[in-house]
Amino acid sequence: MAQAGMAAGASMLETSHANLGLALGGGAALGLAHIGALRVLERAGLAPAVVTGTSMGAVVGAAYAAGKLDLLEALARQINWRRVLRLTDFRLGGSGVLEGRAIERELRRHFGHQRIEDLPIPFAAVATDLGTGTAWTASTGDLVTAVRASISLPAVFAPVRLQTPSGACLLVDGGLVANVPVAAARTLGADLVVGVDVTADFESVATTVGLRDQLLPEAQRRGIRARLWSAVPAFMRGWPLLRRLRAWADEPSLLAVALASSALALRQLSLQQNAAAPAALTVTPRVGHIFHGEFDRAEELIRIGETAMEESLGALRRLVGAAEGRSL
């Protein structure tokens, strides 16, 4: 799909904050914080004229551009594990654990066969072309296909196979190349871009999984391993059979190391990408204490997104004022 979308939103670009674009980053459930960020911008009279999104950011961005943010927020607040499981179509022997047709049907149910260029607000979803290793930006064409491609986390969802004028391509999650799609927003006409990055709160991740607790003196630790060891009577702690328990209590768990390492890798990838295409302002909701799969915490995530954007409003107003002053 070619870069496009300017004609569809030309009137909006001329009448409101013409240079303001919003780039919503990926992060699975954490991306629900974008709903709160958008609500604050609306209330502040700073609604973006251009929206781009990667992965969950593409879902929220598409809903906003299509005028369906109220619907998405209502659905998000109703999510529980039973609803999530209904969207999981497991399969064996494929290129992803989930086939992805269930989530595509759900997207189709709400967006129908709407085309991106017909949306009232210019929008683009970003995926990764697995054959070339480059960003694939959809600002025209079928909205559901673009969003489905953008959310296709490798090994979780089967890639989207698409026929283009230049040949077939396999599309996976856009977070591999542009987790916060700032460049895509600029291509759509925004020269003042606000990025929302939900993968940046690594310190909270390290605390939540217990790594910081492990670094404290033994008497100050509150993690489950420390509590189990503290329950052992002092006279028993020197017994040979309990030495392994002591060593176990002194080590972080395999899960904690894996979760923290993956979160750090995501943060570093985003930092590198953001340095290559920096936003005028990056908003970082403090969501590191919530895991990527906790869709049932939508209410909390939306509230955190609101808080993060509210804290950034002063800086954003100054940037908008300066940009509009230069354009006069």
Side-chain angles (χ1 to χ4, degrees):
M1 296 182 187
Q3 301 281 1
M6 288 298 294
S11 60
M12 178 170 292
L13 288 171
E14 291 168 3
T15 57
S16 80
H17 300 289
N19 58 340
L20 183 59
L22 187 65
L24 303 177
L30 306 184
L32 294 174
H34 297 319
I35 297 173
L38 276 162
R39 292 305 192 197
V40 170
L41 291 177
E42 288 179 328
R43 293 195 294 266
L46 292 169
V50 168
V51 179
T52 57
T54 292
S55 199
M56 193 62 193
V59 176
V60 177
Y64 179 76
K68 294 180 180 291
L69 192 62
D70 288 346
L71 172 62
L72 178 63
E73 181 173 354
L75 291 171
R77 292 181 184 276
Q78 296 169 13
I79 290 177
N80 53 38
W81 282 109
R82 184 177 299 175
R83 291 175 183 268
V84 171
L85 287 173
R86 282 207 296 265
L87 298 177
T88 55
D89 44 4
F90 293 100
R91 67 172 184 174
L92 297 175
S95 52
V97 175
L98 303 180
E99 192 169 3
R101 290 187 179 180
I103 190 71
E104 186 171 341
R105 283 194 300 270
E106 184 69 10
L107 290 169
R108 192 70 69 187
R109 187 163 72 91
H110 299 296
F111 292 117
H113 292 275
Q114 198 159 15
R115 294 186 66 79
I116 299 174
E117 61 268 30
D118 295 332
L119 297 174
I121 297 174
F123 169 73
V126 177
T128 300
D129 185 332
L130 203 55
T132 63
T134 58
W136 176 88
T137 303
S139 53
T140 63
D142 182 64
L143 179 61
V144 168
T145 299
V147 172
R148 166 68 177 85
S150 187
I151 67 173
S152 296
L153 188 65
V156 176
F157 285 106
V160 170
R161 183 182 181 91
L162 195 67
Q163 192 67 38
T164 70
S166 58
C169 60
L170 285 176
L171 303 173
V172 295
D173 195 298
L176 296 177
V177 291
N179 194 50
V180 182
V182 173
R186 292 202 175 101
T187 300
L188 284 182
D191 53 27
L192 175 60
V193 181
V194 176
V196 184
D197 188 353
V198 294
T199 67
D201 187 19
F202 174 73
E203 289 188 4
S204 294
V205 175
T207 299
T208 300
V209 300
L211 288 182
R212 291 182 176 273
D213 185 76
Q214 288 291 136
L215 298 175
L216 295 173
E218 184 178 303
Q220 298 177 24
R221 296 177 196 168
R222 296 294 179 267
I224 185 170
R225 292 185 175 216
R227 293 200 302 270
L228 286 172
W229 176 249
S230 67
V232 176
F235 74 90
M236 296 174 60
R237 294 186 178 187
W239 293 4
L241 289 176
L242 293 178
R243 287 176 187 167
R244 287 192 177 183
L245 178 60
R246 173 62 184 270
W248 177 82
D250 282 339
E251 285 187 6
S253 70
L254 174 61
L255 180 60
V257 172
L259 289 173
S261 298
S262 62
L264 180 58
L266 286 172
R267 187 194 72 165
Q268 291 304 109
L269 182 60
S270 269
L271 287 175
Q272 292 171 9
Q273 293 169 356
N274 294 346
L281 175 68
T282 299
V283 179
T284 57
R286 299 301 177 190
V287 293
H289 62 290
I290 299 175
F291 296 124
H292 287 69
E294 293 187 281
F295 286 92
D296 56 329
R297 297 178 71 172
E299 187 170 345
E300 181 181 358
L301 286 161
I302 292 169
R303 186 173 64 250
I304 292 170
E306 288 179 329
T307 299
M309 188 59 77
E310 285 168 351
E311 292 173 349
S312 301
L313 274 181
L316 178 55
R317 285 196 174 101
R318 288 190 293 273
L319 287 169
V320 169
E324 292 183 342
R326 286 196 299 270
S327 68
L328 295 177

